[in-house]
Amino acid sequence: MSECCGPGYASPAEAIRAPREKLLYTIAIYTGTGIQRPDYLATVDVDPDSPTYSQVIHRLEMPGIGDELHHMGWNACSSCFDDGSMSRKYLILPGVRSNKLHIVDTATDPRAPRLHKVIDGAEIKAKADLSGPHTVHCLGSEIIISFLGNAKGEAPGGYLHLNKDFEIQGRWESSMGEIKFGYDFWYQPRHNVMVSSEWAAPNTFMPGFDLEEVGHLKYGRELHFWDFEKREPVESFYLGEDGLLPLEVKFHHNPDSTHGFCGAALSTNVIHWWKDDAGKWQWEKIIDVDNEMHPDWPIPLPGVMSAILISMDDKYLYLNNWLHGDMRQYDISDPHNPVLTGQVFMGGLLGKAPKVNGVEVAGGPQMFQLSLDGKRLYVTTSLFSTWDNQFYPEIRTKGGVMVMIDCDPVNGGMKINEDFIVDFGKEPNGPSRCHEARYPGGDCTSDIWL
Amino acid sequence: MTTHTVTIANRDGATYAVNGRRPLLEQLRDQGVDLPYGCEYGGCITCAAKLIDGEVDQRRQVALNNRQIENGYVILCVARATTDITLEIGVESHDRLYRNPFLDPLKPHELKADIASPKV
Ligand code: FES
């Protein structure tokens, strides 16, 4: 980071050249596990030259129990690179169940983050009529957070707007239009567009997954394109059976590109969109992971692609199949024609890799963060406490794990790193479940360029 | 004010006096019972307990499907006691709360109340 400038990097190419990550933050939960302790932010040492490599070196407990920490986001990213008054100092940790926002200072001591401020869930309900926080993005010096429900937990929720001092500014959007559900979003300022996806109402997904409710249209199947400046949705794509539970949304990192991708979790498809020569948004299905038969089960098992990630050079798309147990790497140099270039198994219900580096894996690959240079992919195994309890009940006693996969950014290919594993089953207060991960210097799922 | 006795079967039969006005979660926590919870409005299932005996009013809950209700689950953050009750609490009581939907589908009458069809 040069001295004249704000946080992050001038361009994706600069980000790729950043120094290797030495620390990583992941949330770890006790909500729903039977252990009556707060969820926490774990600092993991990922410096191979350090004596505590591949270990949790610090734990910051939240003030209350039952938050269900889930995703996180930075107060500032490369979108503020030209603003010398901003710095990437605070990580925002929403509690999906408690509705609280925890603002954590990671800059004063990066190894031992400290709590800066808590925005109370009741205040958010009272001022913005929102609950069920999910994705955090900064936009310049402001912050917006998608919430999946109103104060009563009913869809579609909306977007909370915070200023840079973490004061509630009210709702960000001018209108939710006809949108039925919320979940993830990503924006591409040069094209004045934001794309948002759909999970379900908090009252639907929080208690667990009733597959039957998909047929009753209680889960989403649409993608929404927004006029970013006007803050309102302008076009929606009905994805139908190809797009059941469209969850994670990513644009190319290249700020000039109009190409973006969404993983439809239950259909286990990747949806690709782009703007055509006539200036119209188009979409297509580019990856379709087949269901697998489980020897003892009556219904074929979908992969459940709960996350996708694009490498900083926009060359590779990574995806998970949480129930099948595999992580995949696709070369998307031609985004219309992805090529499978790597695959590894870790856990999953098909029994293909019950142990990784000597640790029994409960759960399957779920969330992941790629190093800026595209060489190391850190993968965790828990999805959401109630859903874990349904599909992987043994995670209660075994906890989650973090695995590292070595990726070849030149020729493609993935391989599980044999020297790294963090077993959250061995945490001092009992087995916890790790989830989303972030690096202090910014990562492949946070930074956006103006 | 009428009080009811709550017996917690899996805490050595410990008993607590509660009123019928306020939710059980709040009253039991106030008396030092360590209970899991999350949303505190009846939507997220974290606070579910099993009702072994007696009756509660839990009309405000929206987390449980009809099978879970049939299996005795109650949502402590909104449920109020209407009689003396016996509960099993915590995740030890969750043995039938979670099910793999691919292995064990719900019948139409077992869905959540707003979409369930009448039992035939
Ligand atoms: S705490 Fe969420 S349902 Fe009771």
Side-chain angles (χ1 to χ4, degrees):
Chain A
M1 206 186 300
S2 74
E3 261 188 286
C4 66
C5 300
Y9 311 93
S11 65
E14 287 295 322
I16 292 167
R17 285 194 285 272
R20 177 180 171 148
E21 70 285 351
K22 294 203 160 128
L23 297 175
L24 173 156
Y25 304 121
T26 182
I27 61 103
I29 62 163
Y30 281 124
T31 301
T33 67
I35 294 172
Q36 293 284 88
R37 302 282 305 202
D39 300 347
Y40 57 101
L41 182 70
T43 310
V44 178
D45 184 339
V46 293
D47 176 1
D49 298 327
S50 159
T52 50
Y53 178 57
S54 180
Q55 291 175 28
V56 177
I57 54 168
H58 185 264
R59 298 168 185 86
L60 173 69
E61 286 196 336
M62 298 301 111
I65 68 164
D67 287 314
E68 184 123 25
L69 300 181
H70 194 61
H71 286 222
M72 338 178 231
W74 293 106
N75 70 310
C77 77
S78 297
S79 65
C80 275
F81 184 70
D82 289 334
D83 182 352
S85 72
M86 291 298 295
S87 61
R88 191 189 318 256
K89 179 167 181 188
Y90 300 103
L91 198 52
I92 298 147
L93 281 65
V96 180
R97 289 172 200 265
S98 67
N99 215 35
K100 287 182 205 159
L101 298 177
H102 307 88
I103 316 294
V104 171
D105 167 5
T106 63
T108 305
D109 181 353
R111 297 172 69 87
R114 57 191 73 177
L115 193 62
H116 171 68
K117 177 177 177 176
V118 178
I119 304 176
D120 191 54
E123 186 189 346
I124 295 168
K125 287 185 179 180
K127 289 189 176 160
D129 188 27
L130 290 171
S131 75
H134 194 272
T135 301
V136 179
H137 275 300
C138 53
L139 338 157
S141 58
E142 311 277 292
I143 295 155
I144 64 172
I145 303 172
S146 60
F147 279 67
L148 278 48
N150 63 11
K152 290 196 219 123
E154 294 158 353
Y159 296 82
L160 182 73
H161 182 190
L162 300 178
N163 68 10
K164 66 177 181 347
D165 300 315
F166 311 108
E167 290 156 344
I168 296 176
Q169 304 298 294
R171 294 283 278 264
W172 171 81
E173 80 279 10
S174 315
S175 158
M176 287 294 280
E178 301 293 306
I179 290 177
K180 298 184 196 73
F181 304 103
Y183 184 66
D184 196 21
F185 66 101
W186 192 281
Y187 63 100
Q188 195 67 307
R190 290 189 192 174
H191 298 282
N192 187 32
V193 66
M194 175 173 112
V195 176
S196 71
S197 60
E198 296 190 333
W199 192 10
N203 292 345
T204 301
F205 74 78
M206 284 202 299
F209 182 49
D210 283 356
L211 179 61
E212 303 78 7
E213 296 198 328
V214 176
H216 286 268
L217 304 181
K218 288 215 179 188
Y219 283 88
R221 42 182 82 179
E222 293 185 43
L223 280 179
H224 307 285
F225 288 68
W226 294 61
D227 182 319
F228 188 55
E229 276 160 23
K230 291 206 185 115
R231 306 181 178 188
E232 61 187 29
V234 287
E235 190 175 359
S236 294
F237 287 140
Y238 178 77
L239 308 172
E241 300 292 315
D242 276 336
L244 300 176
L245 282 69
L247 295 187
E248 288 220 341
V249 172
K250 311 281 185 226
F251 266 103
H252 269 160
H253 297 285
N254 172 4
D256 288 322
S257 173
T258 64
H259 293 271
F261 307 87
C262 175
L266 187 63
S267 306
T268 321
N269 293 332
V270 176
I271 307 296
H272 163 225
W273 70 80
W274 72 99
K275 205 182 234 184
D276 68 13
D277 294 340
K280 276 184 54 99
W281 292 105
Q282 303 287 353
W283 73 274
E284 64 185 350
K285 175 177 74 172
I286 53 165
I287 296 169
D288 186 338
V289 175
D290 288 337
N291 292 346
E292 297 268 353
M293 278 318 286
H294 184 287
D296 310 322
W297 293 13
I299 307 178
L301 193 63
V304 180
M305 185 193 296
S306 43
I308 61 168
L309 183 149
I310 311 292
S311 63
M312 198 47 90
D313 60 4
D314 293 331
K315 186 176 173 193
Y316 293 104
L317 180 148
Y318 291 89
L319 63 84
N320 71 316
N321 290 302
W322 187 56
L323 295 185
H324 292 174
D326 57 322
M327 280 298 308
R328 297 188 186 188
Q329 177 198 55
Y330 286 85
D331 183 332
I332 52 163
S333 303
D334 173 359
H336 300 282
N337 295 295
V339 180
L340 180 64
T341 46
Q343 182 179 29
V344 295
F345 279 84
M346 46 177 281
L349 290 170
L350 299 175
K352 296 202 178 171
K355 266 191 182 183
V356 172
N357 297 350
V359 176
E360 281 180 47
V361 179
Q366 208 290 126
M367 284 301 297
F368 32 99
Q369 186 59 267
L370 184 67
S371 60
L372 292 169
D373 64 8
K375 293 181 181 163
R376 294 165 301 283
L377 187 69
Y378 299 89
V379 189
T380 56
T381 48
S382 152
L383 194 155
F384 191 63
S385 64
T386 38
W387 294 42
D388 294 343
N389 294 344
Q390 288 182 275
F391 293 99
Y392 294 104
E394 67 281 9
I395 201 170
R396 274 222 186 99
T397 50
K398 290 189 178 145
V401 294
M402 178 183 280
V403 171
M404 183 173 120
I405 297 171
D406 292 320
C407 302
D408 183 337
V410 179
N411 305 306
M414 338 167 66
K415 189 175 172 302
I416 289 178
N417 184 294
E418 290 173 8
D419 298 323
F420 184 94
I421 190 148
V422 190
D423 182 359
F424 282 80
K426 301 244 158 62
E427 284 290 275
N429 290 313
S432 67
R433 306 178 194 170
C434 45
H435 192 66
E436 201 195 38
R438 299 223 171 255
Y439 315 120
D443 36 66
C444 289
T445 60
S446 61
D447 282 40
I448 288 174
W449 281 269
L450 297 177
Chain B
M1 195 192 321
T2 338
T3 59
H4 304 294
T5 303
V6 178
T7 306
I8 301 187
N10 59 337
R11 293 290 180 276
D12 297 327
T15 58
Y16 302 89
V18 297
N19 62 50
R21 258 186 326 107
R22 291 192 302 131
L24 285 160
L25 179 79
E26 183 187 326
Q27 296 191 66
L28 292 171
R29 284 186 61 215
D30 282 351
Q31 298 180 61
V33 186
D34 195 12
L35 290 165
Y37 62 91
C39 72
E40 296 183 89
Y41 70 81
C44 85
I45 222 167
T46 313
C47 67
K50 213 189 264 174
L51 183 67
I52 310 290
D53 199 26
E55 274 168 38
V56 301
D57 173 357
Q58 60 169 341
R59 274 173 295 182
R60 280 176 48 207
Q61 76 78 22
V62 289
L64 299 173
N65 61 41
N66 283 345
R67 186 191 287 183
Q68 290 162 327
I69 292 171
E70 188 65 24
N71 286 335
Y73 287 103
V74 292
I75 294 296
L76 295 183
C77 65
V78 294
R80 285 135 169 101
T82 54
T83 66
D84 289 351
I85 58 172
T86 303
L87 294 173
E88 238 177 65
I89 61 166
V91 298
E92 308 104 275
S93 71
H94 291 179
D95 57 318
R96 302 182 73 178
L97 191 63
Y98 299 108
R99 98 206 131 86
N100 181 324
F102 296 101
L103 262 181
D104 187 8
L106 294 178
K107 299 191 181 67
H109 70 273
E110 292 179 321
L111 297 169
K112 279 193 185 158
D114 59 329
I115 48 171
S117 46
K119 189 168 182 176
V120 281

